Amino acid sequence: MTKDIYDIAIIGAGVVGVSIFNDLARCGVRVVLLEKELDVSTGTTKANSGIIHAGFDAEPGTLKAKLNVAGNAMFPEICKRLHVPLNKCGAYVVGASEDAVDALILKAKKNGVAGVKKLGRKELLTLLPSITENIKYGLFAENSYIIEPYFYTICLAEEAVINGGDLFLGYIAKKITKKAEYFVISDGKKDVCAKCIINSAGSQYNNVAKMLKAEQYKIEYRRGEYYVLDHSEKDIVTSTIFPLPDKMGKGVLVTPTVSGNILVGPTSYVSEDDTKTTDFGLNDIRQKVSNMLTNVNLGKTIRVFSGIRSVIGHDFVIERSKKVPGVINIAGICSPGLSSAPAISRYVMQLLGVQYKPMANCKRIKPYTRLSDMSNSAKNKLIAENSDYGKIVCKCEGITVGEIKDAINRPIRPITMDGIKRRIRPGMGRCQGGFCNDKVAMLIAKENGIRLEDVVKEKSGGRYIVGNVSSKGVR
């Protein structure tokens, strides 16, 4: 019976849960990750700005400040190991108040953030000629990065799986029972036993805490809406541009992405736990960005989206449960949650009493095949070896049949349309999948041995094809 009991079960496969999963698996701990959706990184992690913050904004003395700075320093090594693109583009914070800029620089000093410089308007105009007339002061933070948060999380999860971690997707925990020496988690079909449970369920934290009879918190949900601009706009900024922050967050920013798009947003409204976009929110972004930069053309938008942040007071909640021994509570992981994730993992390992010491024989994942990163000679060689790499599926992003097949046949096999999109980007270009979605769906069905009618966009029940298109059925 003992061999069927995991040392640790993690509930929630966002970037924080997966970071812990990865570290524990590579250290030889018997760990399982449970996720209610059909893929990892489907919640808050997939819908944020993708910025690894330097750490100058967090309130000194908080977990946010400590873990942001520590996490920022860890990303280069982790991304190199995982073959994940990471761009050190730096970040500017600009506004009219010199006192507010000085306050941020003082925070940066207290938080131990290096590479932060104050700038006057003359210097700013040289570096950012598109700033508006009301911008008088700013700072530049050298150690700010951009990343694809969902792709990073997927690669972390893949590495954990090949190093012995178990991942159960589509696992909706319905009941948790405390036995003498372990917990039993049940979805009504399969029981998972573990000596310790980490509740990293994000916006669903309280639902899991209730089943555990652990601490529950008043969670404030804040919806953040974004515009995504076409590749044609990729040169309007080469660094992240923030306004001076306010009590609701870091404000409406403009940032490049590692894939060549520009993100504009987010809003920050107290909301229900839903990811709708609104005319009010999108118009608010339009107004606020026009107060900061003159060259942002929202007419080049190819997509709008939103994400939900879970806020509990002014800091993260990362603690041993005082009510239920063997439970670790992780809640309120809003910004800078992505930036802090690697350090949150190490902090949790300390709470667990587990030393971070990766196994000597740790395996590494293979890099994803990306023809867009290859020279013409390398592309031609690959196509000569396998003609699938010469068959374009997504014209906007230049994604081929070979790349999609490779992405499906990885340690974690994506079975959804959005799962493929987050891995190698078909459907993320100008037409947003209008010309490639059918081909992607057929490849998912064929490679996974399922019916085309059973391919889903993202969630269970959300089928891509919902009915017959001819009297002879779906073809």
Side-chain angles (χ1 to χ4, degrees):
M1 179 68 179
T2 304
K3 67 178 181 179
D4 296 321
I5 301 176
Y6 290 95
D7 294 320
I8 298 167
I10 304 166
I11 299 177
V15 67
V16 171
V18 172
S19 294
I20 300 166
F21 179 53
N22 178 281
D23 278 345
L24 290 172
R26 291 189 308 110
C27 289
V29 176
R30 191 151 191 267
V31 59
V32 62
L33 176 61
L34 308 176
E35 168 56 45
K36 68 184 181 68
E37 303 298 347
L38 300 177
D39 201 1
V40 302
S41 72
T42 62
T44 299
T45 298
K46 75 174 181 184
N48 65 63
S49 306
I51 298 166
I52 308 304
H53 298 289
F56 55 80
D57 181 51
E59 197 62 37
T62 61
L63 280 176
K64 286 184 178 181
K66 173 185 174 183
L67 298 176
N68 183 167
V69 175
N72 174 285
M74 296 165 71
F75 270 91
E77 184 278 325
I78 297 172
C79 289
K80 182 179 179 181
R81 189 182 81 223
L82 296 173
H83 313 286
V84 170
L86 180 72
N87 183 351
K88 187 178 181 180
C89 64
Y92 293 88
V93 181
V94 299
S97 170
E98 184 175 17
D99 288 345
V101 170
D102 288 341
L104 284 178
I105 290 175
L106 180 59
K107 278 186 177 181
K109 184 177 181 180
K110 289 181 178 180
N111 291 342
V113 180
V116 176
K117 179 184 178 182
K118 182 179 177 180
L119 303 168
R121 179 166 174 82
K122 185 176 180 181
E123 291 173 286
L124 282 170
L125 277 172
T126 301
L127 298 163
L128 302 171
S130 61
I131 57 172
T132 54
E133 291 183 359
N134 60 301
I135 303 297
K136 306 297 182 184
Y137 302 96
L139 66 79
F140 178 69
E142 177 184 356
N143 295 315
S144 181
Y145 303 84
I146 53 175
I147 195 172
E148 283 185 338
Y150 37 85
F151 182 66
Y152 170 76
T153 304
I154 288 163
C155 290
L156 278 174
E158 288 183 346
E159 187 183 49
V161 167
I162 66 172
N163 282 291
D166 286 338
L167 172 63
F168 298 153
L169 297 170
Y171 189 99
I172 303 174
K174 296 180 178 178
K175 183 178 180 182
I176 303 176
T177 306
K178 181 72 167 72
K179 301 293 185 179
E181 297 181 356
Y182 59 92
F183 298 87
V184 180
I185 309 165
S186 178
D187 70 345
K189 300 176 183 177
K190 178 182 178 63
D191 289 348
V192 174
C193 302
K195 299 172 187 175
C196 174
I197 292 179
I198 299 173
N199 180 358
S200 184
S203 64
Q204 300 300 306
Y205 167 85
N206 278 338
N207 292 337
V208 176
K210 185 177 180 180
M211 286 187 282
L212 284 165
K213 297 181 174 58
E215 290 83 351
Q216 297 181 52
Y217 292 93
K218 183 179 179 181
I219 298 175
E220 180 180 276
Y221 299 110
R222 292 186 190 167
R223 186 176 65 250
E225 297 165 69
Y226 292 86
Y227 288 89
V228 183
L229 305 190
D230 186 63
H231 286 310
S232 64
E233 304 303 291
K234 65 183 178 64
D235 295 325
I236 65 170
V237 294
T238 55
S239 298
T240 303
I241 318 295
F242 295 97
L244 287 166
D246 59 28
K247 64 180 182 179
M248 293 299 286
K250 295 179 174 67
V252 171
L253 58 90
V254 181
T255 186
T257 66
V258 295
S259 55
N261 298 104
I262 297 291
L263 280 183
V264 185
T267 54
S268 183
Y269 297 121
V270 177
S271 170
E272 298 299 319
D273 184 13
D274 71 72
T275 55
K276 65 184 178 182
T277 56
T278 64
D279 288 341
F280 180 83
L282 296 174
N283 287 333
D284 187 36
I285 293 172
R286 186 181 294 272
Q287 178 61 46
K288 287 178 177 175
V289 75
S290 70
N291 291 333
M292 185 170 66
L293 297 172
T294 62
N295 65 338
V296 179
N297 182 4
L298 295 179
K300 294 292 186 177
T301 297
I302 61 171
R303 186 179 182 85
V304 295
F305 71 94
S306 74
I308 291 292
R309 287 159 276 176
S310 302
V311 180
I312 300 174
H314 298 290
D315 206 357
F316 298 151
V317 174
I318 309 171
E319 63 187 11
R320 296 188 190 93
S321 172
K322 297 179 179 64
K323 291 185 174 182
V324 187
V327 170
I328 301 290
N329 301 324
I330 303 177
I333 308 298
C334 51
S335 181
L338 170 63
S339 314
S340 306
I344 291 175
S345 176
R346 304 294 169 83
Y347 185 82
V348 168
M349 290 183 76
Q350 290 177 4
L351 294 179
L352 293 167
V354 177
Q355 182 183 4
Y356 177 72
K357 187 177 180 181
M359 299 178 293
N361 60 343
C362 270
K363 300 175 183 177
R364 294 194 178 188
I365 59 171
K366 295 179 180 178
Y368 275 68
T369 307
R370 294 183 183 272
L371 269 71
S372 60
D373 296 336
M374 295 181 181
S375 66
N376 286 336
S377 60
K379 290 178 186 177
N380 290 335
K381 181 181 177 182
L382 189 61
I383 293 168
E385 294 170 354
N386 184 341
S387 62
D388 280 346
Y389 293 107
K391 300 172 184 175
I392 295 289
V393 172
C394 174
K395 294 180 180 179
C396 298
E397 296 290 319
I399 308 300
T400 66
V401 170
E403 290 167 280
I404 294 172
K405 285 184 176 180
D406 283 351
I408 294 172
N409 292 286
R410 299 278 300 187
I412 300 172
R413 297 180 67 91
I415 59 172
T416 68
M417 301 287 288
D418 285 358
I420 292 294
K421 182 193 292 187
R422 285 191 291 270
R423 283 160 173 82
I424 51 169
R425 297 186 56 78
M428 283 197 178
R430 183 174 294 176
C431 83
Q432 289 292 292
F435 291 100
C436 67
N437 276 346
D438 290 352
K439 293 178 181 178
V440 172
M442 286 187 280
L443 284 167
I444 291 171
K446 183 177 180 180
E447 292 298 306
N448 285 300
I450 60 177
R451 299 186 311 159
L452 183 58
E453 299 95 311
D454 294 330
V455 173
V456 299
K457 182 182 183 297
E458 176 77 287
K459 298 177 182 288
S460 296
R463 292 188 298 159
Y464 175 64
I465 293 174
V466 296
N468 293 340
V469 294
S470 76
S471 60
K472 295 180 181 179
V474 177
R475 290 181 292 180

